[in-house]
Amino acid sequence: MARKTPEQRLAELERKRATLSERIRAAATREKIVIGAAAAAEAKADPAFADRLKSILQNRVNRAADRDAISQFLASLTGDEPPAAGENADSGDAPPSELAADPLAGISIPRRAAGRHF
């Protein structure tokens, strides 16, 4: 068997590193989704938790697009009508979000190589 050159070994290690990084990002994303789903379910079942979660989200979610994304969820916790796109309770003069017109705008879904599932 022929020995690999240092450049070939480096390229192989870089591919492995990229694959591991992708797996780590995917696991972190899945973790956030599961935690968020559990917190949302608990908020719908427990009004005290719903109040606390709403407070946390209002304090921690700062980007207008992100606030627009969770506005319906926040409204569902209190039974309120969600604000119109770009009209968050704390920023009534915020510009309308481009995401409001197309909820999938700006979302890039990476295509995976055939047969590779993480």
Side-chain angles (χ1 to χ4, degrees):
M1 182 196 287
R3 292 189 65 154
K4 294 180 182 177
T5 67
E7 292 80 13
Q8 290 171 325
R9 285 204 26 86
L10 180 59
E12 181 181 337
L13 290 172
E14 287 174 348
R15 282 191 301 275
K16 287 181 180 180
R17 180 178 180 210
T19 298
L20 289 174
S21 292
E22 184 179 325
R23 286 183 181 181
I24 290 168
R25 280 191 307 275
T29 299
R30 176 143 179 82
E31 179 182 82
K32 291 173 189 174
I33 290 168
V34 171
I35 291 168
E42 182 65 17
K44 291 183 183 202
D46 180 349
F49 184 77
D51 289 342
R52 180 68 179 127
L53 181 59
K54 186 173 182 176
S55 175
I56 290 168
L57 293 173
Q58 287 172 334
N59 290 323
R60 296 287 183 165
V61 179
N62 299 316
R63 288 182 51 227
D66 293 341
R67 292 180 76 81
D68 286 347
I70 65 168
S71 64
Q72 287 186 342
F73 174 73
L74 291 175
S76 75
L77 293 179
T78 58
D80 298 336
E81 277 292 315
E87 294 180 11
N88 293 308
D90 297 336
S91 60
D93 58 345
S97 170
E98 292 177 15
L99 296 177
D102 181 3
L104 299 179
I107 296 176
S108 173
I109 301 173
R111 293 176 16 167
R112 296 194 177 197
R116 290 181 55 200
H117 302 284
F118 300 112

